[in-house]
Amino acid sequence: MATIENSYFRNELEDRRKRLLSVTPAGESESTIRQLLVNVDAALSRLQAGTFGICESCHESIEADRLLCDPLVRFCIDHLSQEEQRALERDLGLAAGIQRALLPPANWSFDGWEARYHYEPAKLVSGDYCDLIESNGSFLFLLGDVAGKGVAASMLMSHLHATFRTLASQNLPLHQLVSHANRLFCDSTTAGQYATLVVGRAWPDGKVEYVSAGHLPLLHISPSGVFTKEATGVPLGMFCTTNYPVCQLSLAPGDSLLLYTDGLTEMFNEAGCEFGVERVHSLAKRHTAAHPEEMLSACLQEIRSFSAASKQTDDLTLLVLHRSH
Ligand SMILES: [Zn+2]
């Protein structure tokens, strides 16, 4: 394990050791505290011996996000005891329920606009982010992808959700909204944690503005063609002081926007071919007049037949915004 991580875990463990020693245990808690001290000392010895972070059963690396949450873990996820497995499944089930409750309503509409989305975690919880927020005669649409998967990514996803929900009520111009969110995200994450994200605002007259923080191209689908809109800035959380230029669009009645995460483009088939942005583009071209629900099911049908027997390895989210009148 890298030296910098070693010193991080050593500090963490020594801090925990101090805290345990400062407790004056009463009654039953005495043996618990004593056992915890033994476990902390054992973890410090593993650091010394160079076996910290290695599963005692299979000798592979233990998942980094689990070690960060609990430096005392000694087994990888595949080698937990049955009791630990059951506890973990219960926790993940709860986390998945909390995450589902953060999603916008399934059949969402707002003054001439309709939105439909598909949200599918690769496992129980997802690092993908999707939200729709009405604010001051317009609405915000947000779709993003937190780097990584699993519990750590899902916690950052709910953090983003809370940040944007709070900022949305303040009626800030879009570039300020994203800059604030970026700084808050930078302040509350560790190095290497970031999120790619599209944040947009749409009005009843079809006017749309958006920022794409390092996210995959969004597609403007209209009868005259499909237009690709590339990222306008770097991912959120990468640099604390950066600008997020805002782009403008105008959607006529019948036009749509398609947003997606890399669970779509990075889907592989059995031959090892990637689905890719080009396939999303040509798919959109074949469904320019589709209702958002049809667009979604066409996308899903196409990726299911493309990936057929391959297992979904990444979180997948699609969002279609449609200007109905
Ligand atoms: Zn193992």
Side-chain angles (χ1 to χ4, degrees):
M1 189 166 287
T3 327
I4 188 158
E5 288 174 28
N6 261 345
S7 67
Y8 171 80
F9 283 117
R10 188 176 311 281
N11 288 340
E12 277 291 305
L13 287 162
E14 273 161 5
D15 182 49
R16 281 167 208 228
R17 195 168 193 284
K18 260 186 238 142
R19 281 168 199 277
L20 284 169
L21 288 170
S22 70
V23 178
T24 318
E28 273 179 30
S29 72
E30 195 181 343
S31 64
T32 315
I33 301 272
R34 211 181 314 120
Q35 187 55 50
L36 281 170
L37 260 175
V38 169
N39 294 347
V40 169
D41 284 340
L44 281 164
S45 310
R46 288 197 294 279
L47 264 176
Q48 190 70 30
T51 56
F52 182 83
I54 308 286
C55 171
E56 290 179 21
S57 173
C58 66
H59 308 293
E60 299 284 331
S61 296
I62 297 173
E63 300 75 15
D65 55 333
R66 290 183 55 237
L67 271 177
L68 283 170
C69 294
D70 181 5
L72 299 183
V73 292
R74 291 158 47 211
F75 295 94
C76 75
I77 242 167
D78 294 331
H79 297 104
L80 296 176
S81 70
Q82 276 198 339
E83 193 189 332
E84 286 171 323
Q85 288 272 13
R86 272 196 297 272
L88 183 69
E89 275 160 24
R90 273 197 304 274
D91 289 350
L92 283 174
L94 275 173
I98 292 169
Q99 194 165 43
R100 273 195 304 276
L102 297 179
L103 291 169
N107 295 322
W108 190 92
S109 63
F110 173 87
D111 212 344
W113 288 88
E114 278 184 82
R116 297 290 183 275
Y117 65 89
H118 177 82
Y119 189 83
E120 191 177 346
K123 290 185 177 159
L124 270 169
V125 288
S126 170
D128 282 1
Y129 167 52
C130 176
D131 205 4
L132 297 158
I133 311 167
E134 288 180 28
S135 91
N136 208 22
S138 62
F139 70 91
L140 289 169
F141 55 94
L142 304 107
L143 181 128
D145 181 358
V146 174
K149 284 192 276 282
V151 178
S154 78
M155 286 171 76
L156 282 180
M157 172 273 172
S158 58
H159 177 73
L160 273 182
H161 179 274
T163 302
F164 278 107
R165 284 265 155 178
T166 309
L167 288 173
S169 60
Q170 298 184 7
N171 290 322
L172 299 166
L174 199 61
H175 70 279
Q176 273 184 28
L177 175 84
V178 182
S179 294
H180 280 309
N182 178 53
R183 275 201 299 279
L184 288 166
F185 198 70
C186 276
D187 288 345
S188 52
T189 54
T190 56
Q193 292 182 306
Y194 62 90
T196 68
L197 183 72
V198 174
V199 186
R201 189 189 288 278
W203 283 265
D205 65 357
K207 191 184 136 201
V208 171
E209 55 179 35
Y210 69 91
V211 162
S212 172
H215 198 74
L216 289 159
L218 67 95
L219 300 180
H220 175 188
I221 304 165
S222 80
S224 55
V226 176
F227 307 97
T228 304
K229 306 291 171 188
E230 302 284 346
T232 58
V234 295
L236 225 64
M238 230 168 215
F239 301 99
C240 292
T241 50
T242 179
N243 286 329
Y244 287 98
V246 174
C247 294
Q248 317 277 343
L249 285 175
S250 182
L251 268 71
D255 286 7
S256 298
L257 289 178
L258 171 63
L259 295 86
Y260 49 90
T261 57
D262 60 7
L264 175 63
T265 50
E266 291 176 14
M267 183 89 68
F268 285 88
N269 66 11
E270 272 183 294
C273 262
E274 204 178 58
F275 194 77
V277 178
E278 276 308 307
R279 275 195 183 81
V280 184
H281 192 270
S282 65
L283 188 156
K285 235 175 172 169
R286 276 177 275 121
H287 295 92
T288 47
H291 182 268
E293 231 154 66
E294 292 166 44
M295 175 69 79
L296 273 190
S297 53
C299 279
L300 290 171
Q301 214 169 16
E302 192 143 330
I303 53 174
R304 299 287 180 247
S305 64
F306 174 82
S307 60
S310 321
K311 201 169 150 263
Q312 183 191 340
T313 54
D314 204 353
D315 305 323
L316 168 68
T317 305
L318 301 163
L319 170 66
V320 185
L321 294 169
H322 180 72
R323 191 173 168 217
S324 43
H325 59 263

